[in-house]
Amino acid sequence: MAPRPASETSKYARDVGKFPKKVSKAKNKRLQQGLKKVDQEYQEFVKSAEATDVLLQEEAGFLEADGPMERTMKFRQDDIVEAVDVGTANKKLDLQLTELGPYTLDFNRNGRKLLIGGKKGHVASMDWRLGKLGCELFLNETVNAVKYLHNDNFFAVAQKKYTFIYDGSGTELHRLKKHVELTLLDFLPYHFLLVSAGYSGMLRYHDVSTGALVSEIRTKLGPTQAMKQNPWNAVMHLGHGNGTVTMWTPSQKDPVVKIQSNRGPIRDLAVDREGKYMVVSGSDKRVKIWDLRKLQELDTYVIPTPARSVDISDRGLISVGWGPHVSVWKDAFKTHQDEPYMTHLLPSSKIEKIKYVPFEDVLGIGHMKGVGSMIVPGAGEANFDAMEINPYESAKQRQEQEVRTLLNKLSPDTIALDPNFIGMVDKKARNVRLNQTQIQDLEDEEKKEKERSSMNSGPSYKPEQTKLKKYLQKNNANIMDARRMRIERNLKLEEERKEKLKAKELEGEGEPDELLPALGRFA
Amino acid sequence: MKIKTISRSADTYVPARNTQESAMPRNLDPALHPFERAREYTKAVTATKLERMFARPFVGQLGDGHRDGVYCIAKNYKTTNQIASGSGDGIIKYWNMTSRQESLSFKAHYGMVTGLLITPRRGMLSCGDDKSIKLWSLECEDFGEEVDDLDVYRSNKSSQGLLKVFDGEHGFLGLDHHFTDDVFVTGGAAIQLWDMNRSNYVSNLSWGADNVSNVRFNKTETNILASCGSDNSIVLYDIRTNTPVQKVVTALRANDISWNPMEAFNFATGHDDHNAYLWDMRDLSKSLNIYKDHVSAVTSLDFSPTGQELVTGSYDKTIRIYRTREGHSRDIYHTKRMQRVFAVCFTTDSRYILSGSDDANVRLWRANASEKSNVKSAREQAKLNYDNKLKERYKYMPEVRRIARHRHLPIVVKKALQIKRVELESLKKREENNRRNTREGSVPRVPEKEKHIRGTAIKE
């Protein structure tokens, strides 16, 4: 079923490097023909997909310096606003909200709407380009995180205790009782899962289309410091206080991957849209770039103060918010960069959250004194796919899209590190690894085992704990007194004795007496 | 400073008037389309579910049916919407499937109608237990007055529409016509070849003495015909030499034969052992395929005009549809009121199936349970094609397969299937035990495709 790549350079090629280039001759003629046909169809698809490149209407932005004396990082936003066209210049945003900050922010999936959340209870949803306010809420309660759901008609706000869902006009729709004391929210749009983490170290997946709590996982790593989704495979990346980054799927109780990334708590992390790279910032003032395919560290950048927020744009620009500064790095996944691509300073403020606007060359900045934006040429994807996400959709189209995405809602089980595992042969499965007779043998053995266990099945008792052990457990303080020392010694002796007994037993089992018991005593 | 940013003009994307279509630019870059496989799979599951949800195979019955069980159905190869049916009380009816009403009916025979066909040129030919073969007109100018339903059942000896009567020496079983020539063949105590212009049969093709229960001409290789008889034999004849050619004897009796219209050398037979078999007429020492799943004798079967599918009717009151290359049915049709099925056939456009059963009704079914019969718009058709491709692509996924295979079965059939499975298993076990406890090689393994064959013979 799975096709093989035509040319490995094409961006339309699928499953690159997974299949041998030449198909070995299948025994079955019909199967051989079928494989050939699938191959041909695939080649044709790649070719015709490449041919659609000429139809793309827009071009990506760029920023270049004139001559060796100019450096792009020295360009100030004011100069850039003067140089660009009016349409882009209008996208420069600066909201002075000094009262209720610092502000976190979120854009909806097509980048038209902006949701801001002030720590002291100010939440507002707006069309940021037209400057039209959708709703504004003063909650008189701490706001930790805000997140748009599948479109701008719903958003979730993590407040002091509970998490609430509001609609576009600011009406409270739900109070999520299960989601308490959260600091981080994320939404998986294809699975309709609201993901939350916070002080308690619990990771919760909540299906917002049915209202069911899908999964509740204890991370066992203390309060979660940072959380972002991998947009390519919907695996959640969590950063923890001990500098580890863990990756989670709703179906597994343990992390699928655990990385020791930084020395010291993780501040923030970000994953690029194809799930290839991850950027992690830690309190050790280091920003690390990881290759998620090999799970290898690619690069480290040192910055003067710990980065509060990082984000990766659609075209692979890394932006890092530290103190009052924003630095943007270009091509950092390819080679180490000596200096940033762009920088920006917000005097006497502190960055809280930065986030790229989808399909735009704009970076949204939430900081201590309000919300602003920064023009970053070359950041956004120029050509959107209207069948997927359409920034220019009408109300009717939005409604239809909502229905369509709900119909095609993915099950939480489809989340895995490799999103293309569906329809593939599981090479570890028993019926793939073994042949028929081996499977039969195994099954027989299992059957026997089951019978055996059912024969001597009784209530299972916990092995009795010795009094010595109990004492030690109870008084586990690090105080060494005479009694404790004596007990420990006795315990050790007892264990040794037990081990000896066991060894003796095993020996007896292992080597049958060659001379029968009658003659054994003469040996 | 050289600078350029993305600057889209809303004018290109937002329609100026609301009657205009909005632009829908595409970008096929896989980076913009995550979860490709999962989304396709979800769509495939939905498509499979919808297919099962919309599965309404039963279209309706033809008119008010007969007054006795329907034992033969004949199709008119010249049209797609005309068929004939014959019942146990000697009545034959000619139906128009478009209006689902009868256009003609005749009191043809005393006792059962055992064979019925529509000749390429002359009309309808029927044979019965009463030792006669009758040719009936289908042209409206041959009928003087209107005859209503009651008149048919009243045994007034009206011979309206009767063109010709052939008198035989014995009751007939089975009847078939040459595809082009004016020649037909009858079964019964002997297998006889008749010429339409003569009143007596031309030749007797019998090989062996037993009753022939069914005969079928090959519609492609038109001079070949096959018969099945009560001595469990299937015999092939060639009318160019007027002789039988070869014979195979099976374990249990064959009830019906159907030639594959696309592969002229293949034919299928429905047997009393609950199975249908596919044969290659060049080599009868083994069958090509076995169609299992029925829980009672297969009484009738017919190939679709495409040769890709086979429909079987059974004594277990169900109809099953098989793909020619597969061994198990792809669909099963049944209704609460349908009794033992004795005649099934595909219509000549292969989109519908007709069944005649003991409960005196002729039923019309869709060959594809969930297909809508209407004309489809291009968009609808494109969606259907896409869904079919998805279903094809993900058909091996457990969830998709489970949904696609799920059928509601009558409790009797379900129970019988379970019992049959146990029986077959224990038979197999017994054979294995036997094999283990005898000298090696004394109980040879017989391939499943040869098990039912008792012997073959070729006529010198």
Side-chain angles (χ1 to χ4, degrees):
Chain A
M1 189 177 75
R4 278 159 294 278
S7 59
E8 309 209 346
T9 47
S10 170
K11 70 176 171 183
Y12 297 103
R14 307 299 208 272
D15 295 328
V16 177
K18 267 194 182 172
F19 296 93
K21 267 194 174 166
K22 216 166 190 181
V23 193
S24 60
K25 216 153 180 64
K27 272 181 195 165
N28 190 337
K29 203 174 172 189
R30 193 173 293 152
L31 179 65
Q32 179 75 17
Q33 287 296 328
L35 284 175
K36 221 173 167 182
K37 198 178 146 210
V38 168
D39 247 25
Q40 268 169 0
E41 276 174 4
Y42 172 68
Q43 311 271 15
E44 207 152 288
F45 155 74
V46 172
K47 228 185 237 171
S48 54
E50 275 167 358
T52 60
D53 272 352
V54 283
L55 300 174
L56 299 178
Q57 299 178 8
E58 307 287 341
E59 275 170 40
F62 59 82
L63 175 65
E64 280 167 18
D66 286 332
M69 294 308 287
E70 247 183 13
R71 285 149 81 194
T72 52
M73 67 173 280
K74 293 288 181 194
F75 294 143
R76 295 161 54 82
Q77 281 292 310
D78 301 339
D79 306 335
I80 288 173
V81 168
E82 266 175 36
V84 295
D85 56 322
V86 186
T88 312
N90 282 343
K91 285 171 194 160
K92 186 87 179 73
L93 182 78
D94 196 13
L95 299 176
Q96 295 290 335
L97 305 160
T98 47
E99 296 289 310
L100 301 167
Y103 278 85
T104 174
L105 55 85
D106 186 39
F107 293 97
N108 75 335
R109 292 191 68 213
N110 63 20
R112 300 292 295 207
K113 298 288 167 70
L114 167 68
L115 180 67
I116 58 172
K119 188 84 183 170
K120 289 171 190 153
H122 178 210
V123 175
S125 164
M126 65 194 87
D127 188 319
W128 63 279
R129 260 176 274 179
L130 304 178
K132 241 168 56 182
L133 192 65
C135 72
E136 192 166 22
L137 301 169
F138 294 96
L139 296 166
N140 298 327
E141 196 178 46
T142 311
V143 168
N144 287 323
V146 290
K147 184 76 201 166
Y148 271 120
L149 303 188
H150 55 282
N151 60 28
D152 56 288
N153 267 356
F154 301 98
F155 58 87
V157 180
Q159 286 167 224
K160 185 173 180 301
K161 184 163 188 198
Y162 297 111
T163 302
F164 294 82
I165 291 180
Y166 298 92
D167 78 349
S169 61
T171 316
E172 179 188 320
L173 297 178
H174 303 288
R175 191 188 68 178
L176 305 177
K177 274 191 290 184
K178 290 269 183 180
H179 298 257
V180 274
E181 301 200 323
L182 299 181
T183 51
L184 299 155
L185 280 177
D186 209 344
F187 183 71
L188 303 173
Y190 293 98
H191 304 80
F192 280 85
L193 291 176
L194 180 70
V195 190
S196 70
Y199 296 122
S200 62
M202 296 289 280
L203 176 65
R204 291 194 181 85
Y205 289 83
H206 204 117
D207 189 326
V208 295
S209 66
T210 61
L213 191 69
V214 170
S215 178
E216 210 170 0
I217 304 168
R218 279 175 62 199
T219 59
K220 298 177 195 166
L221 286 164
T224 310
Q225 306 288 330
M227 179 177 75
K228 289 273 171 71
Q229 65 172 294
N230 181 338
W232 187 243
N233 56 15
V235 169
M236 294 310 297
H237 292 226
L238 266 61
H240 303 282
N242 60 357
T244 53
V245 174
T246 50
M247 303 181 198
W248 302 82
T249 62
S251 49
Q252 262 167 300
K253 292 292 160 204
D254 298 309
V256 282
V257 176
K258 203 169 175 184
I259 298 172
Q260 182 69 44
S261 174
N262 291 53
R263 299 178 182 184
I266 303 291
R267 284 302 192 85
D268 199 14
L269 52 85
V271 186
D272 86 311
R273 66 169 176 179
E274 278 184 285
K276 290 177 180 167
Y277 304 101
M278 173 171 69
V279 176
V280 187
S281 76
S283 303
D284 57 353
K285 302 180 194 170
R286 269 153 187 79
V287 174
K288 297 209 175 185
I289 301 175
W290 288 82
D291 187 336
L292 288 177
R293 292 162 295 182
K294 293 183 193 161
L295 294 174
Q296 247 175 20
E297 194 183 315
L298 281 183
D299 212 341
T300 309
Y301 290 86
V302 184
I303 43 173
T305 59
R308 178 73 191 88
S309 182
V310 291
D311 197 21
I312 303 177
S313 84
D314 282 347
R315 295 191 67 233
L317 265 57
I318 304 169
S319 62
V320 181
W322 48 284
H325 300 271
V326 180
S327 322
V328 181
W329 304 82
K330 197 183 175 187
D331 295 333
F333 299 137
K334 288 173 192 153
T335 49
H336 185 84
Q337 302 292 316
D338 295 329
E339 60 178 32
Y341 171 59
M342 287 177 78
T343 52
H344 184 49
L345 173 70
L346 294 151
S348 78
S349 184
K350 215 172 165 192
I351 306 286
E352 175 67 17
K353 170 113 175 175
I354 53 174
K355 197 170 164 60
Y356 279 103
V357 185
F359 309 110
E360 293 289 352
D361 281 341
V362 180
L363 175 73
I365 303 168
H367 53 95
M368 223 164 68
K369 289 180 176 172
V371 176
S373 76
M374 173 185 171
I375 293 170
V376 185
E381 171 67 50
N383 293 289
F384 60 89
D385 190 319
M387 304 294 264
E388 190 84 42
I389 303 170
N390 187 359
Y392 294 96
E393 70 190 353
S394 60
K396 189 85 196 155
Q397 281 170 336
R398 193 197 60 222
Q399 286 162 5
E400 275 172 10
Q401 183 68 17
E402 189 174 13
V403 173
R404 208 171 300 128
T405 47
L406 273 170
L407 276 176
N408 296 331
K409 187 182 87 169
L410 305 183
S411 143
D413 308 339
T414 57
I415 299 177
L417 267 187
D418 178 12
N420 288 340
F421 77 100
I422 295 163
M424 303 292 274
V425 175
D426 180 8
K427 282 183 182 154
K428 285 175 199 156
R430 176 192 276 184
N431 56 356
V432 175
R433 255 183 319 127
L434 308 173
N435 63 23
Q436 205 63 43
T437 49
Q438 282 170 320
I439 292 172
Q440 192 62 43
D441 289 347
L442 260 179
E443 272 171 7
D444 289 344
E445 209 159 274
E446 273 166 19
K447 218 176 180 182
K448 266 183 205 163
E449 191 70 31
K450 211 175 176 188
E451 268 171 24
R452 219 177 296 146
S453 64
S454 66
M455 289 262 273
N456 50 23
S457 72
S460 56
Y461 296 110
K462 249 189 182 171
E464 204 183 335
Q465 272 192 334
T466 58
K467 277 181 184 163
L468 301 177
K469 254 187 196 167
K470 258 185 199 164
Y471 175 82
L472 278 187
Q473 262 177 12
K474 246 185 211 168
N475 307 295
N476 53 0
N478 267 339
I479 306 162
M480 295 304 260
D481 54 1
R483 189 174 173 206
R484 198 181 166 91
M485 278 171 81
R486 197 176 63 237
I487 282 173
E488 270 183 358
R489 202 181 55 233
N490 284 349
L491 202 61
K492 211 176 171 188
L493 279 176
E494 199 176 329
E495 255 160 29
E496 267 172 19
R497 195 168 52 83
K498 269 185 190 166
E499 242 162 56
K500 247 184 209 167
L501 265 176
K502 213 182 234 173
K504 221 178 190 180
E505 236 169 61
L506 277 177
E507 219 173 275
E509 264 178 26
E511 293 168 24
D513 214 343
E514 271 180 45
L515 315 160
L516 293 167
L519 291 174
R521 58 194 149 144
F522 300 115
Chain B
M1 167 165 55
K2 268 185 258 170
I3 186 164
K4 186 199 169 294
T5 53
I6 300 169
S7 57
R8 297 189 200 91
S9 159
D11 299 344
T12 47
Y13 297 105
V14 180
R17 269 167 276 120
N18 56 7
T19 49
Q20 271 177 337
E21 288 282 324
S22 48
M24 297 292 268
R26 302 298 313 270
N27 184 355
L28 300 181
D29 189 350
L32 288 173
H33 303 273
F35 309 110
E36 210 172 40
R37 198 65 74 71
R39 284 158 78 185
E40 263 190 1
Y41 167 69
T42 314
K43 281 180 193 166
V45 172
T46 319
T48 318
K49 275 183 191 164
L50 285 179
E51 183 202 317
R52 291 320 306 157
M53 264 170 66
F54 289 120
R56 297 274 179 279
F58 183 57
V59 180
Q61 67 167 49
L62 297 188
D64 297 325
H66 283 267
R67 293 199 179 181
D68 200 344
V70 178
Y71 296 107
C72 36
I73 292 179
K75 45 186 163 183
N76 188 345
Y77 287 99
K78 299 258 144 105
T79 66
T80 54
N81 67 342
Q82 316 276 322
I83 65 129
S85 65
S87 72
D89 55 2
I91 304 279
I92 55 176
K93 294 193 178 201
Y94 192 61
W95 302 93
N96 182 349
M97 283 193 290
T98 317
S99 61
R100 276 191 246 152
Q101 292 304 321
E102 63 186 75
S103 18
L104 295 168
S105 54
F106 305 110
K107 168 84 179 131
H109 298 280
Y110 294 106
M112 237 171 90
V113 179
T114 53
L116 184 68
L117 63 89
I118 293 157
T119 61
R121 279 180 290 276
R122 288 168 191 264
M124 191 157 53
L125 204 61
S126 71
C127 71
D129 278 340
D130 60 352
K131 300 185 183 178
S132 64
I133 306 163
K134 290 178 180 173
L135 181 66
W136 303 91
S137 167
L138 298 174
E139 307 289 332
C140 56
E141 56 260 30
D142 289 343
F143 302 96
E145 70 224 49
E146 189 105 332
V147 179
D148 76 347
D149 197 40
L150 281 177
D151 292 332
V152 176
Y153 287 100
R154 218 172 287 138
S155 60
N156 58 352
K157 298 211 167 163
S158 148
S159 57
Q160 204 178 27
L162 180 62
L163 296 180
K164 194 168 182 182
V165 182
F166 303 87
D167 287 318
E169 295 154 352
H170 50 78
F172 294 106
L173 279 169
L175 173 75
D176 203 17
H177 198 280
H178 192 278
F179 195 60
T180 51
D181 298 352
D182 269 353
V183 177
F184 63 91
V185 68
T186 58
I191 173 161
Q192 293 167 337
L193 193 66
W194 301 71
D195 192 315
M196 199 59 99
N197 301 318
R198 310 252 186 115
S199 57
N200 222 336
Y201 66 88
V202 183
S203 61
N204 188 342
L205 298 170
S206 298
W207 182 11
D210 244 319
N211 247 353
V212 170
S213 58
N214 222 327
V215 285
R216 286 275 183 263
F217 262 108
N218 190 332
K219 302 285 186 235
T220 321
E221 198 57 58
T222 49
N223 291 317
I224 306 291
L225 68 104
S227 80
C228 54
S230 50
D231 57 348
N232 301 352
S233 67
I234 300 159
V235 191
L236 297 175
Y237 308 85
D238 191 338
I239 60 164
R240 287 168 296 198
T241 55
N242 262 341
T243 48
V245 181
Q246 52 176 328
K247 179 191 227 174
V248 58
V249 180
T250 53
L252 282 170
R253 199 167 59 141
N255 291 317
D256 198 5
I257 303 170
S258 176
W259 289 91
N260 188 329
M262 283 293 150
E263 295 157 0
F265 40 84
N266 286 348
F267 65 95
T269 53
H271 288 250
D272 269 354
D273 59 1
H274 310 183
N275 296 340
Y277 298 97
L278 181 67
W279 304 86
D280 187 338
M281 75 172 178
R282 297 166 296 188
D283 178 17
L284 294 178
S285 62
K286 63 170 193 293
S287 48
L288 293 178
N289 200 358
I290 308 172
Y291 303 106
K292 296 183 171 180
D293 277 353
H294 275 299
V295 289
S296 192
V298 177
T299 52
S300 172
L301 80 172
D302 190 31
F303 267 107
S304 110
T306 58
Q308 302 288 314
E309 287 187 338
L310 181 73
V311 61
T312 59
S314 164
Y315 202 68
D316 62 14
K317 307 179 187 175
T318 61
I319 300 166
R320 282 183 188 267
I321 305 169
Y322 296 87
R323 293 198 184 92
T324 312
R325 292 191 188 285
E326 290 167 13
H328 288 277
S329 61
R330 79 161 165 84
D331 214 338
I332 176 171
Y333 293 166
H334 56 85
T335 66
K336 260 185 185 164
R337 297 183 183 189
M338 188 162 73
Q339 293 300 312
R340 321 241 178 244
V341 184
F342 283 97
V344 284
C345 75
F346 265 101
T347 57
T348 45
D349 58 357
S350 80
R351 291 178 65 197
Y352 296 95
I353 288 166
L354 286 151
S355 73
S357 47
D358 244 359
D359 60 324
N361 277 328
V362 183
R363 289 192 168 79
L364 187 63
W365 309 83
R366 288 189 182 89
N368 246 334
S370 56
E371 193 184 70
K372 277 167 80 185
S373 332
N374 63 345
V375 179
K376 289 165 197 78
S377 66
R379 229 176 124 189
E380 208 175 349
Q381 191 59 51
K383 165 89 170 104
L384 278 177
N385 291 346
Y386 178 63
D387 280 355
N388 284 338
K389 192 83 188 170
L390 282 180
K391 277 183 268 179
E392 168 71 20
R393 193 164 202 213
Y394 289 93
K395 67 183 171 189
Y396 296 116
M397 297 296 290
E399 183 73 356
V400 174
R401 186 158 60 175
R402 186 184 64 77
I403 297 167
R405 282 179 57 186
H406 177 80
R407 293 291 181 285
H408 169 69
L409 285 181
I411 186 82
V412 186
V413 174
K414 198 173 178 192
K415 264 270 140 48
L417 264 174
Q418 284 167 355
I419 294 169
K420 193 178 161 187
R421 200 170 298 138
V422 173
E423 278 174 355
L424 287 178
E425 218 159 78
S426 61
L427 276 178
K428 207 172 170 186
K429 210 180 278 171
R430 181 193 290 176
E431 199 192 315
E432 276 307 313
N433 283 342
N434 192 10
R435 188 167 288 136
R436 208 162 7 174
N437 294 312
T438 48
R439 194 162 43 82
E440 208 176 296
S442 64
V443 188
R445 287 183 194 278
V446 185
E448 195 71 12
K449 287 176 179 172
E450 292 173 16
K451 252 181 198 165
H452 55 284
I453 294 172
R454 292 287 169 268
T456 55
I458 295 176
K459 185 93 168 179
E460 270 91 42

